[in-house]
């Protein structure tokens, strides 16, 4: 039982940490919540058996790290557009070509 | 992503009676939107959409250039980069298109299109340049224009010339536009007025639902909604849409150069 809970908690925490580093970081909250729940279950199991494990500490660290990164990105990073030079150049060239094309086209009557 | 961007257009797209006078769209106006998509139930900002107008002079006339750009935010660029450019050159009085250009780069997908609207012969001359893994392909197609077929960008702007005072709640309108060299039909249903809180203030809006007749890009009934400001400019303030792979929305970020 303890082994299963530990595995699920670890997998969830690692998935949360990976998601928190990706552009789709917002969905990291879901595996993080699962990791927290299983972490609580593991803590209760440890309390009953009166054991102190390093695994539990590592798990807590992973959860805190993923939640911190995700929350920081959600609340403190702004969505910005960059690398638009190419599209601007493309537009300028396209307009010049369009003017030439438009010379032979007639407005509707 | 392709269908996502198509849906963005649909959310803006409504047409009007052929050659109606333009009384809502100003020259040198700029509308900026944030496109969000629902990822596992959480709304995530993925791209910036901008709609701009500017005058363009030829030797015989001054036309209005309508520009639509879609750019993914830098955080998504490494994941799925989108740099789409759509241009429509229209008659400034009627917003009827003469030339429409589409240059899209979506992830690994690249395509260039050009449509010339010949109003005398009632045809649309299409040029398509496809960039595929097995090479580049160019094709020229001429499609008949029933008379009121517009391009997507012109359609987006034409929506703003709709006279909502003459529309009754529940009333529907069908119209034609060209996309991927094929004519499509979209139906709108006016749902009444609603007040929306947006980045450009609290706006009273005209609410409508959109459905596609000959395309399955839009899903659900009354799940694809558009709100236009109930003022002179009638700008799109908010759009919500549902597609096969989820839901999303477009929110206005800023609006400048509008008619008062």
């Amino acid at each position: 039982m303890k082994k299963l809970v530990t595995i699920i908690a670890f997998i969830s925490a690692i998935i949360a940490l990976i998601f928190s580093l990706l552009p789709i970081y917002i969905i990291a909250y879901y595996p993080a919540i699962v990791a927290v729940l299983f972490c609580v279950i593991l803590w209760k199991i440890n309390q009953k058996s009166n054991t102190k494990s390093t695994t539990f500490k590592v798990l807590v660290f992973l959860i805190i790290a993923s939640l911190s990164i995700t929350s920081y990105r959600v609340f403190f990073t702004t969505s910005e557009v960059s690398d638009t030079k190419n599209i601007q150049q493309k537009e300028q060239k396209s307009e010049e070509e369009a003017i030439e094309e438009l010379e032979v086209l007639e407005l509707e009557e | 992503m392709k269908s996502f961007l198509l849906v963005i257009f649909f959310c803006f797209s409504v047409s009007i009676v052929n050659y109606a006078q333009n009384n809502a769209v100003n020259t040198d106006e700029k509308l900026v939107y944030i496109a969000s998509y629902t990822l596992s139930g959480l709304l995530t900002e993925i791209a910036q959409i901008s709609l701009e107008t500017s005058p363009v002079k030829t030797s015989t006339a001054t036309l209005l250039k309508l520009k639509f750009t879609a750019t993914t935010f830098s955080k998504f660029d490494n994941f799925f980069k989108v740099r789409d450019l759509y241009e429509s050159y229209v008659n400034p009085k009627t917003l009827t298109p003469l030339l429409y250009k589409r240059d899209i780069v979506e992830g690994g997908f690249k395509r260039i299109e050009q449509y010339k609207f010949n109003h005398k012969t009632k045809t649309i001359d299409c040029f398509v340049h496809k960039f595929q893994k097995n090479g580049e392909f160019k094709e020229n197609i001429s499609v008949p224009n029933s008379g009121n077929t517009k391009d997507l960008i012109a359609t987006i702007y034409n929506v703003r010339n709709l006279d909502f005072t003459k529309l009754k709640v529940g009333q529907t309108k069908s119209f034609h536009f060209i996309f991927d060299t094929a004519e499509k039909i979209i139906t709108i249903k006016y749902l009444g007025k609603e007040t929306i809180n947006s980045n450009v203030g609290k706006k009273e809006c005209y609410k409508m639902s959109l459905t596609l007749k000959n395309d399955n890009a839009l899903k659900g009934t009354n799940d694809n909604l558009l709100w236009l400001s109930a003022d002179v400019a009638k700008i799109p303030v908010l759009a919500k849409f549902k597609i096969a792979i989820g839901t999303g929305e477009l929110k206005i970020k800023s609006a400048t150069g509008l008619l008062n």
Side-chain angles (χ1 to χ4, degrees), chain A residues 73-98:
Chain A
R73 294 183 79 181
V74 166
F75 297 109
F76 299 104
T77 56
T78 51
S79 300
E80 282 175 358
V81 165
S82 62
D83 188 22
T84 54
K85 203 178 173 182
N86 202 14
I87 200 169
Q88 283 167 354
Q89 286 172 343
K90 206 185 272 183
E91 191 212 334
Q92 202 174 356
K93 194 186 166 197
S94 175
E95 189 177 310
E96 285 166 13
E97 287 169 358

Side-chain angles (χ1 to χ4, degrees), chain A residues 90-107:
Chain A
K90 206 185 272 183
E91 191 212 334
Q92 202 174 356
K93 194 186 166 197
S94 175
E95 189 177 310
E96 285 166 13
E97 287 169 358
I99 290 169
E100 283 176 32
E101 299 271 3
L102 287 163
E103 294 290 352
V104 292
L105 294 171
E106 288 179 38
L107 293 175

Side-chain angles (χ1 to χ4, degrees), chain B residues 159-224:
Chain B
V159 62
R160 293 165 53 188
N161 282 315
L162 259 174
D163 188 355
F164 285 91
T165 57
K166 287 178 184 171
L167 282 178
K168 287 175 189 169
V169 174
Q171 196 175 337
T172 57
K173 250 181 195 300
S174 292
F175 56 93
H176 305 246
F177 67 94
I178 193 159
F179 192 82
D180 279 347
T181 70
E183 196 178 68
K184 312 252 177 198
I185 302 165
I186 193 165
T187 305
I188 66 133
K189 188 179 181 183
Y190 177 53
L191 301 173
K193 281 186 176 179
E194 210 171 89
T195 304
I196 298 283
N197 274 317
S198 72
N199 287 325
V200 291
K202 202 173 183 179
K203 293 265 182 193
E204 189 180 31
C205 295
Y206 299 116
K207 185 183 177 184
M208 64 200 77
S209 69
L210 312 169
T211 44
L212 269 172
K213 269 184 181 173
N214 51 348
D215 198 293
N216 59 359
L218 296 177
K219 302 287 175 190
T221 323
N222 288 348
D223 285 322
N224 301 288

